[in-house]
């Protein structure tokens, strides 16, 4: 008969030191492998909450649109694309189209700016020279040259924007979008 060696009571009470070290290193490595993705994943998910809004302290909210040389006093309005930085929760898009404005110069050389979005449902209005009016192609909303509504479809007239003429001929507009479908001019 062969005799098998069974561990005695002292070996069972005090496991070998190497066994403890292997278990400790395994738990440590497992913890690091678990923690690294959790930290980076949590940082990615919480980034929009932790990120500060990028705001230029020198910026007064006005965007350069064009020159007064391109407008005729008492002439028809002109459409201009407004570009700027657009930011969603995770990404900032620099110099992308954020909207459009219509500019017109009165006889006294004052400049008026209208947001090109229809206050009815937000479609982009077009200036029709033959009608001498702004017409929305979506639902036939119409507006006179001073931005007042010409029919009862839109809830309010075209939204005016703040305009500044700087350096004698630079047109700067404080571009904002407003909530569509309401009689009040509510910024969004």
């Amino acid at each position: 008969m062969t005799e098998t060696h069974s561990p005695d009571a002292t070996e069972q009470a005090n496991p070998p030191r190497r066994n403890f070290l292997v278990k400790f290193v395994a738990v440590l490595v497992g913890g690091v492998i678990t923690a690294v993705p959790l930290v980076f994943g949590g940082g990615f998910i919480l980034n929009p909450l932790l990120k500060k809004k990028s705001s230029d302290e020198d910026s007064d909210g006005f965007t350069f649109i064009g020159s007064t040389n391109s407008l005729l006093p008492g002439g028809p309005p002109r459409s201009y694309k407004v570009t700027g930085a657009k930011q969603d929760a995770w990404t900032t898009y620099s110099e992308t189209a954020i909207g459009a404005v219509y500019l017109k110069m009165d006889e006294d050389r004052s400049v008026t700016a209208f947001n090109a979005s229809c206050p009815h449902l937000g479609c982009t209005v077009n200036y029709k020279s033959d009608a001498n009016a702004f017409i929305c192609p979506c639902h036939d909303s119409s507006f006179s040259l001073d931005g007042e509504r010409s029919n009862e479809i839109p809830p309010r007239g075209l939204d005016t924007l703040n305009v500044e003429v700087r350096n004698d001929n630079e047109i700067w507009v404080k571009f904002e979008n407003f909530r569509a479908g309401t009689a009040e001019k509510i910024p969004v």
Side-chain angles (χ1 to χ4, degrees), residues 5 9-10 15 28 33 36 73 78 84 104 108 120 122 126 128 145 151 153 160 188:
H5 178 54
T10 58
L28 186 66
I33 288 174
V36 168
R78 291 202 50 205
K104 74 179 196 75
D108 64 355
H120 178 225
N126 299 317
K128 299 292 184 180
L145 285 182
N151 58 28
I153 297 171
T160 57
V188 291

Side-chain angles (χ1 to χ4, degrees), residues 123-138:
C123 300
T124 302
V125 298
N126 299 317
Y127 171 69
K128 299 292 184 180
S129 59
D130 55 337
N132 204 25
F134 297 102
I135 308 292
C136 179
C138 297

Side-chain angles (χ1 to χ4, degrees), residues 44-83:
F44 177 76
I45 290 171
L46 296 176
N47 184 34
L49 299 174
L50 302 175
K51 186 173 19 175
K52 293 181 180 176
K53 294 280 184 189
S54 62
S55 61
D56 299 335
E57 287 154 20
D58 298 336
S59 174
D60 54 3
F62 283 81
T63 303
F64 175 72
I65 300 297
S67 170
T68 56
N69 300 336
S70 61
L71 297 174
L72 298 172
R78 291 202 50 205
S79 175
Y80 293 86
K81 181 171 56 168
V82 180
T83 58

